Amino acid sequence: QVQLVESGGGLVQAGGSLRLSCAASGRTFSTYTMAWFRQAPGKEREFLGRISWSGASPYYGESVKGRFTISRDNAKNTVYLQMNSLEPEDTGVYYCAASAGRGVWNYWGQGSQVTVSS
């Protein structure tokens, strides 16, 4: 079992930055692929990016490529999402997820609200 808890969300002005953290506990964290998603009211959940167990090959969705950066620190059992140049359209609930196998997101956090003012 793996438990995930997001933190670091809040209110920020357009053009500002935030860093989200996702702390993991339970089974061995370093073997899991990790990902970030977000969802706004009335919209489908959107994939933002993922990072392998090694951290060597991050992959990003087109809407955030060049602005958001995923990293992980296996020694701290934590994955991060650095968000720069935020826009009001980035407002939503941000979730982290973990996968122990290809194509299946087995574990999810409860989410962290990010609100970007114009």
Side-chain angles (χ1 to χ4, degrees), residues 52-91:
S52 70
W53 65 268
S54 69
S57 301
Y59 178 82
Y60 301 96
E62 291 297 324
S63 66
V64 302
K65 188 179 298 181
R67 298 189 297 125
F68 291 10
T69 302
I70 297 175
S71 61
R72 67 190 296 166
D73 187 337
N74 291 338
K76 297 181 178 180
N77 295 325
T78 302
V79 62
Y80 304 95
L81 181 67
Q82 177 67 46
M83 304 184 291
N84 299 323
S85 301
L86 285 164
E87 303 171 353
E89 293 74 22
D90 295 316
T91 294

Side-chain angles (χ1 to χ4, degrees), residues 23-44:
S25 62
R27 299 181 67 180
T28 304
F29 171 76
S30 61
T31 65
Y32 287 81
T33 295
M34 302 294 297
W36 286 95
F37 297 80
R38 70 183 178 191
Q39 189 168 23
K43 296 183 179 180
E44 297 291 330

